[in-house]
Amino acid sequence: MTREVKETFDRRGAPPAPAALAAKVRTLAPSMTRSMQRVAEAVANDPAGCAALTVTGLAELTGTSEATVVRTARLLGYPGYRDLRLALAGLAAQQQSGRAPAITTDIAVDDPIADVVAKLAHDEQQTLADTAAGLDTGQLQAAVSAAAAARRIDVYGVGASGLVAQDLTQKLLRIGLMAHAHSDPHLAVTNAVQLRTGDVAIAITHSGSTGDVIEPLRVAFEHGATTVAITGRPDGAVTQYADHILTTSTARESELRPAAMSSRTSQLLVVDCLFVGVAQRTHETAAPALAASYEALAHRHRR
């Protein structure tokens, strides 16, 4: 029986905490209309000033409409503009308590290598903080529960996301779970056909629109497997076939720092959170399996 495809717009859980607002703006801005981007950028850049504005005032400030302001608030995860204003007030209070402002970290062609190291380290830290702040722990816990009880786990990813898929599966294998990573789209689909209720399929795609990843997830979804999407776009096409969505963040893309670098950082954090949760849930079998894998490789590390 074919399962019903999910509506991507009906995905709001609890409103994000104030600290997660800036991360949410960075993640969602690329998929917003230009008018919504103006609203999002205004509230992220001046939370104190915008918190003092009515919906009409913010619309006038950004040259948009009241409807656009409300739609932006909802896309950011708030039921309405009133809830967004409360979050802005909370964020302003945090900033006034001494939190350091964000710094520009674009890397120039002539930057000294020491500056490159410092800027990349800052961007990596910001990406990890944004991902942690925006990660829905309810969705994460549900994904952990499904994976811990799964008969089999298939993970789909291509390019940089394929490396993350391999990282997750090798971790799961070491605690005794049956896991496979698929970067070949044909093999991914032919394996997805074999999945059933009780199995888990995980798709990793930063853009949320990678066809070679969406297709096997759709097949797994239609065959009854529990499906998980790890993506930087919670409104992306991949989420139509995901029972659980784990959202990643990313630093700004630049000429010398393509999106694949920052997206991989956030994906690895989510993968580690998922793995540790599964290892906790299956500790009685995971601990001996992990010890056995260490012992099996110990002779390769002896001098």
Side-chain angles (χ1 to χ4, degrees), residues 32-85:
M32 292 179 177
T33 64
R34 186 65 195 106
S35 58
M36 294 175 73
Q37 285 179 350
R38 290 201 297 272
V39 175
E41 290 166 0
V43 299
N45 292 335
D46 185 15
C50 292
L53 297 175
T54 64
V55 64
T56 303
L58 183 55
E60 293 176 350
L61 175 70
T62 57
T64 60
S65 66
E66 294 180 10
T68 297
V69 171
V70 173
R71 283 198 300 271
T72 305
R74 290 177 177 170
L75 183 60
L76 291 173
Y78 301 94
Y81 180 63
R82 177 179 177 276
D83 303 274
L84 175 59
R85 285 185 71 182

Side-chain angles (χ1 to χ4, degrees), residues 112-172:
I113 195 64
D115 288 354
V116 171
V117 172
K119 290 181 177 183
L120 283 176
H122 179 274
D123 266 2
E124 298 283 349
Q125 292 168 1
Q126 186 65 62
T127 297
L128 292 173
D130 286 353
T131 299
L135 189 58
D136 186 327
T137 53
Q139 291 283 298
L140 176 61
Q141 189 60 60
V144 165
S145 298
R151 177 187 69 95
R152 168 179 159 182
I153 302 169
D154 277 15
V155 189
Y156 315 123
V158 296
S161 296
L163 300 177
V164 178
Q166 292 178 27
D167 180 77
L168 174 57
T169 54
Q170 67 90 12
K171 286 183 170 75
L172 295 173

